[in-house]
Amino acid sequence: MRYELTDLRLFLEIAQAGSLTAGASAVFITPSAASYRLKNLEQAMGTPLFERTSRGMELTPAGDAVLTHVRELFEGIERMQGDVSRFISGIKGHVRLVANSSSLNGFVTQTLGRFLVAYPGIDADVDERQSETIPSAVLAREADIGIFAGGTDVEGLTVHPYAVDRLVIVTPRDHVLAAQHSIRLGAALDFDFVSMNRTSSNYLFLRDTAAKYGKNVRTRLHAHGFEAVLSLVAAGVGVAMVPSGVLANRQQSAQLAVIELDEPWALRELNLVVRKDARFPNFITACMNFLLEDPVVAATRTPLPRTKDE
């Protein structure tokens, strides 16, 4: 079989994006050149790797099998580069991380930023996803590290307790709910909301939980980031459900009332996972330890008092 690493990298990018054009862009070649390379790769393999559909590029069963090996191959190359770079100019590498919006905005972004400052040769790729999809993504080698809320039944992972946070309702200081110490979500759903964007795991969780109560979320505006959500709530646009971790050191905090959610799911136990069989280069292990050992994050792992329903 005659093919190059560039062909396999192109295959990987197309598979992850589900698009020939996006895959070509990721490896800096034209779509026509990508189509030619992919055709040659499929001829070398002796079987089609994708089905071309109206929805994009979908892997064939053979393509699925190749994807597993290609991910392992590039993981090994990354590990090799990380090991060798120690002898040249310090640690270099790339970390792929997936996390839900609560952990990203409350903890991960700040810690990861400090890690990248401490290790200038390392880059990071961060993707936000819903918690229930993250363990499978890590197992499938779509990311090196995953952080999510709740537990998992996915086997083949090493699970580390990461942080504890609580979802709360925030309102303007003069809101009718502001005098309450705690409420059920159903009471908050009677009011207009400011929500994160429609693809955010925070909004999707709110929407799906509201549906279990037989209610809809009356969202007046979707904002791109908790900073914007808190500013809009402070301005009186609506109320919001946010993780308490995003309230620390925010300038809007003095203008907001924070109301606990008297719900068993409001206490969020965040976990960090990696594959059990992973043979990480040193820089990924360093990143994982940096995330787990951040003093601010570690302090949250002290058990919080449970509500009466927990």
Side-chain angles (χ1 to χ4, degrees), residues 145-282:
I145 300 170
I147 299 176
F148 60 96
T152 179
D153 295 326
V154 176
E155 297 182 355
L157 300 173
T158 300
V159 181
H160 301 274
Y162 174 63
V164 177
D165 201 3
R166 180 178 286 280
L167 291 171
V168 297
I169 297 294
V170 291
T171 73
R173 283 284 184 184
D174 58 355
H175 196 276
V176 65
L177 292 177
Q180 301 294 319
H181 172 71
S182 65
I183 58 173
R184 304 299 292 262
L185 179 62
L189 291 171
D190 292 334
F191 298 89
D192 292 332
F193 268 71
V194 178
S195 299
M196 291 282 282
N197 68 75
R198 290 179 177 84
T199 60
S200 163
S201 60
N202 176 269
Y203 171 70
L204 294 173
F205 178 79
L206 172 62
R207 182 200 66 186
D208 294 346
T209 305
K212 295 176 182 178
Y213 288 79
K215 294 190 175 186
N216 295 318
V217 182
R218 298 192 333 229
T219 299
R220 296 191 68 195
L221 183 67
H222 289 274
H224 293 274
F226 284 112
E227 185 78 27
V229 167
L230 296 178
S231 294
L232 290 163
V233 172
V237 176
V239 306
M241 185 182 77
V242 302
S244 58
V246 307
L247 297 171
N249 302 318
R250 301 278 185 171
Q251 61 181 8
Q252 305 93 340
S253 297
Q255 303 167 269
L256 300 171
V258 180
I259 307 157
E260 289 189 5
L261 275 166
D262 188 12
E263 304 280 6
W265 44 259
L267 187 69
R268 308 273 281 178
E269 296 179 350
L270 305 174
N271 288 308
L272 182 151
V273 295
V274 295
R275 295 193 331 276
K276 280 185 179 178
D277 63 354
R279 296 171 55 215
F280 286 139
N282 291 340

Side-chain angles (χ1 to χ4, degrees), residues 3 13 39 45 49 65 69 87 95 124 152 162 173 176 184 224 270 274 293 307 309:
Y3 44 80
E13 297 293 348
K39 181 180 179 181
M45 292 286 184
L49 303 177
H69 292 288
F87 304 101
V95 180
T152 179
Y162 174 63
R173 283 284 184 184
V176 65
R184 304 299 292 262
H224 293 274
L270 305 174
V274 295
E293 294 168 6
T307 68
D309 293 324

Side-chain angles (χ1 to χ4, degrees), residues 17-234:
S19 164
L20 178 71
T21 302
S25 177
V27 297
F28 307 105
I29 62 175
T30 65
S32 59
S35 180
Y36 178 76
R37 280 185 170 273
L38 180 59
K39 181 180 179 181
N40 287 344
L41 178 62
E42 290 180 319
Q43 288 178 343
M45 292 286 184
T47 183
L49 303 177
F50 292 96
E51 292 182 7
R52 283 73 168 171
T53 73
S54 58
R55 297 184 298 275
M57 305 286 283
E58 297 184 0
L59 287 166
T60 63
D64 269 323
V66 171
L67 180 62
T68 298
H69 292 288
V70 168
R71 281 177 171 153
E72 290 177 354
L73 173 65
F74 281 103
E75 187 177 275
I77 291 172
E78 185 87 359
R79 187 167 58 248
M80 176 187 70
Q81 291 174 332
D83 289 344
V84 172
S85 66
R86 290 179 300 155
F87 304 101
I88 304 172
S89 57
I91 297 178
K92 293 184 181 296
H94 186 83
V95 180
R96 299 168 303 152
L97 187 146
V98 291
N100 69 325
S101 64
S102 293
S103 61
L104 271 180
N105 290 276
F107 305 106
V108 175
T109 301
Q110 295 85 348
T111 308
L112 188 59
R114 290 191 290 273
F115 175 77
L116 295 178
V117 170
Y119 296 88
I122 297 176
D123 301 323
D125 184 13
V126 180
D127 187 19
E128 179 188 323
R129 301 195 189 183
Q130 287 185 271
S131 287
E132 57 268 27
T133 69
I134 290 173
S136 295
V138 173
L139 190 66
R141 291 182 166 82
E142 294 174 21
D144 305 307
I145 300 170
I147 299 176
F148 60 96
T152 179
D153 295 326
V154 176
E155 297 182 355
L157 300 173
T158 300
V159 181
H160 301 274
Y162 174 63
V164 177
D165 201 3
R166 180 178 286 280
L167 291 171
V168 297
I169 297 294
V170 291
T171 73
R173 283 284 184 184
D174 58 355
H175 196 276
V176 65
L177 292 177
Q180 301 294 319
H181 172 71
S182 65
I183 58 173
R184 304 299 292 262
L185 179 62
L189 291 171
D190 292 334
F191 298 89
D192 292 332
F193 268 71
V194 178
S195 299
M196 291 282 282
N197 68 75
R198 290 179 177 84
T199 60
S200 163
S201 60
N202 176 269
Y203 171 70
L204 294 173
F205 178 79
L206 172 62
R207 182 200 66 186
D208 294 346
T209 305
K212 295 176 182 178
Y213 288 79
K215 294 190 175 186
N216 295 318
V217 182
R218 298 192 333 229
T219 299
R220 296 191 68 195
L221 183 67
H222 289 274
H224 293 274
F226 284 112
E227 185 78 27
V229 167
L230 296 178
S231 294
L232 290 163
V233 172

